[in-house]
Amino acid sequence: MKVKSKIFETITIGEHRLKNRIVMAPMTRSRAETNGVPTDIMSAYYSQRASAGLIISEATQISLNGKSYPNTPGIYSKQQIKGWKKVTDGVHEAGGKIFIQLFHGGRISHPDTQGGKIPMAPSEIKPEGAIHTFPFGKKKQFITPRAIESTEIKEIVHQFGVAAKNALDAGFDGIEIHAANGYLIDQFLRDSTNKRTDAYGGSYQNRSRILLEIIQETGKYFNLQHIGVRLSPLNNFNDISDSNPLGLYSYLLEELNSFKLAYVHFVEDGLTSKNLDFFNGVSLTLGKYYNGKVMGNGNYTFERADSEILEGVVDFVSFGKLFISNPDLPKRFMLETEFNIPDENSYYSGGKRGYIDYESLEG
Ligand SMILES: Cc1cc2nc3c(=O)[nH]c(=O)nc-3n(C[C@H](O)[C@H](O)[C@H](O)COP(=O)(O)O)c2cc1C
């Protein structure tokens, strides 16, 4: 047994004591009702995974026009809050902690998913490729989004605040702001998608502004020590990039230092020869600029997670795909057992299969 590993030790964020440093990464699973209300199987799914030190929920939209994919949950209606309460109650009864990932998809959407409205984005730049619309399985080409008016930005920031308040009412222990993977906040941060000439485009300071305003707004409802931020400085997923990731993210992290947040969550994807500044990894390179706790993510094995925690590169590690198919992942790490293999075909397929039917170890 790996009893000497630091990964199984507790860690404190704000008022929460996490029982280990093994986090369940946020993962969209498209099991909500079409109106974004969480279902009972979602409560079962998250409760099964309550042995994680922390669960981060799937991306959850703050408004209908923040929705990217069919059957994803929201946190802007009374019914959605009620549905999420069943999830958080289930996780708490099973001894776990759960943060909600607050999200706006920006241009990564389609009018069919937003009640006919054209998706909005920092600038009118169409992503390459196609996106799932309803019903699941049909992909349609992205369309050119409309540029968000300067005056609309305040409304989006306000909606993040309302979503945070709703998350508190729904019983969440904290929130993670999704500023990664090419969705709205990331579209503001990175310069391939932000060509604005107002106070929200241009300099690092201007491109970071919406995220910093969202942190301030959500901080009216949640203790800042219970707010995390997810960043993916090199990930090109959703057709996004930046001309100087080290410049942008070192600036941003120094700004984030002043908030004393729960953590910064780095997605490691995108380590290519074009990013030599990051030769040793995102967390190691950017961790130098950040004073608070760092969460690593992206194809981590147990061994890598354990040694990076021991070396102090990261404080905790989130696991995605392994948690889909292994509800008792911490126990499997501890006992060094085999893992169930996740079935990719049921990631977003709806229903119980490939969702709540993965087996835990006996006893
Ligand atoms: C099915 C699936 C859904 C995902 N949905 C989200 C999401 O809602 N929000 C997010 O930030 N990342 C999402 N991701 C990315 C994961 O959080 C994670 O970064 C990725 O799976 C790499 O970690 P892993 O190698 O441990 O799986 C998703 C990944 C998968 C496989």
Side-chain angles (χ1 to χ4, degrees):
M1 283 216 272
K2 296 178 186 283
V3 281
K4 285 198 183 125
S5 296
K6 208 170 162 189
I7 195 167
F8 297 112
E9 286 178 11
T10 61
I11 183 167
T12 302
I13 45 176
E15 289 159 17
H16 303 310
R17 190 150 178 238
L18 312 187
K19 56 186 172 243
N20 58 50
R21 289 133 187 266
I22 301 162
V23 176
M24 177 174 165
M27 281 178 295
T28 295
R29 302 301 310 276
S30 291
R31 260 71 176 184
E33 307 281 359
T34 48
N35 60 1
V37 175
T39 52
D40 290 347
I41 56 168
M42 288 169 61
S43 176
Y45 166 77
Y46 284 112
S47 308
Q48 285 174 346
R49 288 155 179 78
S51 64
L54 177 67
I55 293 171
I56 304 167
S57 84
E58 63 211 272
T60 301
Q61 44 269 1
I62 56 146
S63 63
L64 180 58
N65 59 32
K67 182 170 178 172
S68 286
Y69 308 107
N71 293 92
T72 51
I75 184 83
Y76 54 88
S77 79
K78 286 213 163 60
Q79 275 175 295
Q80 292 165 354
I81 299 171
K82 237 171 108 183
W84 274 122
K85 184 76 173 60
K86 288 194 212 165
V87 174
T88 62
D89 283 348
V91 170
H92 292 148
E93 275 159 31
K97 303 257 182 231
I98 181 165
F99 278 26
I100 185 170
Q101 190 183 52
L102 294 184
F103 153 89
H104 189 302
R107 67 181 191 152
I108 303 302
S109 188
H110 190 277
D112 287 3
T113 313
Q114 304 200 352
K117 291 208 171 133
I118 306 226
M120 46 164 81
S123 304
E124 291 182 7
I125 303 169
K126 185 166 84 78
E128 282 298 315
I131 184 163
H132 281 294
T133 60
F134 191 80
F136 177 80
K138 280 200 179 163
K139 272 192 163 185
K140 290 195 176 168
Q141 289 298 310
F142 281 115
I143 62 159
T144 304
R146 75 173 179 84
I148 297 169
E149 305 281 338
S150 302
T151 49
E152 285 177 306
I153 294 183
K154 274 201 169 38
E155 178 56 20
I156 295 171
V157 172
H158 174 72
Q159 286 169 343
F160 268 95
V162 174
K165 182 180 179 305
N166 292 344
L168 199 60
D169 293 344
F172 282 99
D173 300 300
I175 61 178
E176 176 174 285
I177 297 167
H178 195 349
N181 298 352
Y183 298 103
L184 183 76
I185 300 174
D186 204 14
Q187 291 159 29
F188 273 95
L189 289 175
R190 292 201 260 177
D191 59 9
S192 77
T193 45
N194 185 345
K195 306 289 179 199
R196 298 180 75 88
T197 52
D198 64 2
Y200 293 88
S203 62
Y204 299 147
Q205 186 184 16
N206 283 357
R207 284 187 270 141
S208 303
R209 192 180 306 281
I210 192 167
L211 172 57
L212 302 179
E213 288 181 355
I214 288 169
I215 294 170
Q216 268 160 350
E217 191 67 20
T218 51
K220 291 180 183 165
Y221 305 100
F222 272 92
N223 180 341
L224 287 167
Q225 293 179 318
H226 299 163
I227 298 178
V229 172
R230 190 170 222 217
L231 302 171
S232 57
L234 304 181
N235 192 347
N236 302 126
F237 180 62
N238 284 325
D239 191 22
I240 197 167
S241 62
D242 191 77
S243 56
N244 186 355
L246 188 59
L248 170 63
Y249 287 93
S250 58
Y251 166 81
L252 175 60
L253 289 164
E254 278 169 7
E255 289 296 308
L256 294 182
N257 280 332
S258 61
F259 289 102
K260 313 235 177 316
L261 299 169
Y263 59 79
V264 166
H265 189 177
F266 289 123
V267 178
E268 288 282 347
D269 298 22
L271 296 175
T272 67
S273 55
K274 278 189 283 177
N275 295 304
L276 284 177
D277 286 339
F278 290 85
F279 185 70
N280 292 316
V282 174
S283 297
L284 193 68
T285 305
L286 288 177
K288 295 192 195 98
Y289 299 91
Y290 188 62
N291 300 334
K293 293 192 175 68
V294 171
M295 188 182 294
N297 168 262
N299 290 312
Y300 271 80
T301 57
F302 174 81
E303 287 71 22
R304 179 170 151 221
D306 195 29
S307 69
E308 286 196 11
I309 292 172
L310 274 174
E311 287 159 16
V313 176
V314 297
D315 297 279
F316 22 39
V317 171
S318 75
F319 297 88
K321 297 175 286 290
L322 278 173
F323 254 119
I324 289 184
S325 53
N326 298 281
D328 55 350
L329 188 62
K331 186 172 175 184
R332 288 175 192 253
F333 282 157
M334 176 75 92
L335 299 177
E336 298 181 63
T337 60
E338 295 287 299
F339 304 117
N340 301 320
I341 308 296
D343 165 28
E344 285 182 30
N345 294 324
S346 49
Y347 280 178
Y348 311 108
S349 63
K352 295 180 184 171
R353 202 180 57 78
Y355 191 57
I356 54 171
D357 57 355
Y358 286 107
E359 289 188 359
S360 292
L361 297 170
E362 301 273 319

